[in-house]
Amino acid sequence: QVQLVESGGGLVQPGGSLTLSCRASGRSLSSYAAAWFRQAPGTEREFVAAVDAAGGNTDYTASVKGRFTINRDNTNNLVSLQMNSLKPEDSGVYYCAARYSTTHHMGVLSWWYNTWGQGTQVTVSS
């Protein structure tokens, strides 16, 4: 079973940038689809971005398209989320998720993923 640890969260002003990292251990991440979800207080966890195991396909929720980029480095067992032009509504706890997948499929629903990190807080505020 793979374990995931997120890092890179923090406080940033509106319009700023942050890069989140998700480092995997225990097994190679190269056969896992991966995704980022976020959750603000009092709301449900929502899909942000996903990438298939090979890294050739990505998907984003509409509100972050053009601002966020998900990347993976299978050599270093790493998935990152580059976030630009951040808005206050991007604030929340960001979670990395993964699921073993030998296809190009990548889920956009939280129940599809069976491995989760502990989350990292992102706060966008002036």
Side-chain angles (χ1 to χ4, degrees):
Q1 184 74 355
V2 66
Q3 292 85 42
L4 305 174
V5 177
E6 303 96 332
S7 62
L11 173 65
V12 63
Q13 291 187 342
S17 298
L18 276 177
T19 298
L20 305 183
S21 296
C22 174
R23 185 167 296 280
S25 62
R27 294 190 65 177
S28 171
L29 201 59
S30 61
S31 296
Y32 286 75
W36 289 93
F37 288 76
R38 65 188 179 191
Q39 188 169 21
T43 69
E44 293 191 357
R45 194 169 296 188
E46 67 167 345
F47 169 76
V48 176
V51 60
D52 68 355
N57 296 304
T58 58
D59 195 8
Y60 299 89
T61 192
S63 64
V64 308
K65 282 184 179 178
R67 299 189 297 122
F68 290 14
T69 303
I70 187 170
N71 284 301
R72 66 186 304 149
D73 178 354
N74 286 339
T75 300
N76 292 302
N77 258 8
L78 194 66
V79 177
S80 62
L81 184 68
Q82 173 68 44
M83 306 186 294
N84 298 324
S85 302
L86 282 161
K87 305 175 181 180
E89 52 264 42
D90 293 318
S91 298
V93 178
Y94 281 68
Y95 297 91
C96 179
R99 172 174 169 155
Y100 184 82
S101 174
T102 58
T103 70
H104 293 294
H105 185 69
M106 47 191 175
V108 299
L109 299 176
S110 59
W111 61 259
W112 190 80
Y113 294 90
N114 55 15
T115 303
W116 293 83
Q118 83 290 347
T120 185
Q121 177 71 46
V122 172
T123 303
V124 184
S125 175
S126 55

